[in-house]
Amino acid sequence: MCVCPGPRRIGIPVRTSSLPLFSDAMPAPTQLFFPLIRNCELSRIYGTACYCHHKHLCCSPPYIAQNRLRYTPHPAYATFCRPRENWWQYTQGRRYASTPQKFYLTPPQVNSILKANEYSFKVPEFDGKNVSSILGFDSNQLPANAPIEDRRSAATCLQTRGMLLGVFDGHAGCACSQAVSERLFYYIAVSLLPHETLLEIENAVESGRALLPILQWHKHPNDYFSKEASKLYFNSLRTYWQELIDLNTGESADIDVKEALINAFKRLDNDISLEAQVGDPNSFLNYLVLRVAFSGATACVAHVDGVDLHVANTGDSRAMLGVQEEDGSWSAVTLSNDHNAQNERELERLKLEHPKNEAKSVVKQDRLLGLLMPFRAFGDVKFKWSIDLQKRVIESGPDQLNDNEYTKFIPPNYHTPPYLTAEPEVTYHRLRPQDKFLVLATDGLWETMHRQDVVRIVGEYLTGMHQQQPIAVGGYKVTLGQMHGLLTERRAKMSSVFEDQNAATHLIRHAVGNNEFGAVDHERLSKMLSLPEELARMYRDDITIIVVQFNSHVVGAYQNQEQ
C-alpha cells in the first residue's frame, strides 16, 4: 500500500505443483497492468485524466499523496517516497489547454479492467442440497500500485471443518503480503488439527508416505505461488506442528478456535522474522526472506464453521456483516476494529507497552513513531528488531539490501522495540438467519465508501430488492422531469447489476465510479480507471474484496435444532 521503496521484486514465481501436504498451488493475485492502456494510448489518457472540470477527481493538489502513504516520508529517505518526478507540472500545463483531447474508456473496456481479477466459488451441493452455512463467495481486486500490494486467499479445511477467507494489505512492497497469503491458512489449519491427526501427518512425512491435503484452495486461474520458497515454508510449518505435538499430551480436548487463530498469526510472524535472521545459502531465497521481513502486511481473516464465525484482524482491513431487517432494509455490523490512531484502545495499549518518557513519541501525527499507519502488522522488522540486530542482518545480507537506503534507515525515537505486533484481535459472532453476507475488504474500499453504503449496495445486488421497491420522494413535490431523472437512475442501477456477475466487482464499480448522488457515473469511472500508475495511487489505494453469502436455511436449521 505504500509508494515508499521496498526491496524490489527480482523474480516472479511460476505456477507449479506443490508438496504433498499442499492440495493446490497457493493463490496470490495476478498483477493487472491495464492492458488497454499502454504505449501511445497512455499519453492520450494522461492528458484527459489531468484535464477535468471536477476538481475533486483530477485536479487536487499534490500534497494529498502524503495522506495515502502507509509510511510518511522522513528526511532520511524522503526522495525514495515521492511520486514520479515532476508529475504535477504536467497536470498544471494541461490545465490551461483550451481544446483538450477527450478520451474515455468504452463500457466494454471498463468491464474488462474491472473483471480481470474477479473470482466466484459456489459450495457444491450433495443430493441436491447445500448442507454448508456458506452458499459461496465472490472476490475481486483492483490495483492502484504497480505491482498490486494486496493479496487474497480462500480455502476449505479438509481435515477439520469450516472455510477460511482472508484479505492481506501489503506496504513497502508486496513480498510480505504474498508470503502471508500463502502461509497463514496452513498455520491456522495446523493449529486446529487434533493431536492424532498431527501425529499421523508427522509419521507420514517421516516415512515418506503420501499425505492427505489439509486445505482445498479456491483461487483465480492466474494466481501464482512461490515455488522457490515452498520447501523453506514447509520446513518451518513442520517445525510448528512438531512443537504442537510435543506440547499436547494427547488428551482429547475441544480446540479453541480463538486461541488457534492467535497462535497461528503470532507463530507465522515469528517464523518470518527468524528466517530473515538465519538466512539461506541460496542467494535468491536469502534475498526473498529479507524482502518479506522488511516489508509488511495487515490481515483480516474469517473462519466459518456452521454458525460459528470468527474474525481475526491485524491492522486496518475490515470485516462487515450484512444484516437484513424485518422490513427488508439493510444494516451493517462491524466485526473488526481498525488498529490505528483512530482506535483509542490501541493508542492506550501502545503507551502502556513502553516507558512513560516515550508517551509523546511512540505515536506522532497519527502514525507509529511518526511513520507507520497500522499499529499491528506482519513483517516490518524495522519496528520489531533491535538496532544491533537490524545492522547485523543488513551488513551480512546481499548487496541489494545493504545498498537500500530504506532498509538501513532507523526510525526516530527508537528506544524500546518491539513497537509492532502481529497478534490479531479475534471477534466471535454466532450466525442468525438474518445475517445474509460478510464483506472482507482492505482499506482501499473503506476509504472511499461508508460501511452502510457497502452493505446496502451488496444487499441490493444479491436480492435485487432495489428494482422492486416503489420510488420514495419523502413527501416532497417533484416535477415530471425530476421523476424522469429518478427513473433513469433506477434503470442505470438495473443495467449495472445485470452487467456484473460478481458482487465484489459490483462493489468496486461503485467504490471507484460513484458520484455525489451515490450513482455510478461512467465518465468518472472511465477517468479513474484511465489514470496512469504515476497518478492512480494519488487518488485511491489497491482494493481487494471478498463477499461471502450465507445460507439462511442451513443457519436457521442450526438454530431450530438447539431450541
Side-chain angles (χ1 to χ4, degrees), residues 40-53 93-105 523 526-527 530:
C40 61
E41 289 187 0
L42 187 62
S43 61
R44 289 192 293 154
I45 298 172
Y46 190 94
T48 304
C50 296
Y51 185 88
C52 173
H53 297 291
R94 292 285 183 180
R95 177 179 292 182
Y96 296 102
S98 57
T99 55
Q101 179 182 7
K102 289 186 179 278
F103 179 90
Y104 299 114
L105 298 174
E523 180 178 330
S526 174
K527 287 180 179 180
S530 301

Side-chain angles (χ1 to χ4, degrees), residues 278-332:
V278 173
D280 194 281
N282 181 299
S283 59
F284 177 85
L285 275 182
N286 192 40
Y287 188 40
L288 174 64
V289 297
L290 289 168
R291 288 168 54 217
V292 170
F294 277 90
S295 58
T298 65
C300 188
V301 173
H303 178 263
V304 186
D305 181 7
V307 293
D308 297 320
L309 168 60
H310 289 83
V311 173
N313 184 56
T314 290
D316 52 9
S317 294
R318 293 181 190 171
M320 202 68 61
L321 189 67
V323 180
Q324 189 169 31
E325 306 296 345
E326 291 184 359
D327 62 357
S329 63
W330 294 95
S331 61

Side-chain angles (χ1 to χ4, degrees), residues 21 49 79 114 237 254 307 388 477 495 502:
L21 180 66
T79 55
L114 290 179
L237 181 66
D254 292 335
V307 293
D388 289 341
K477 295 181 179 179
S495 65
N502 181 295

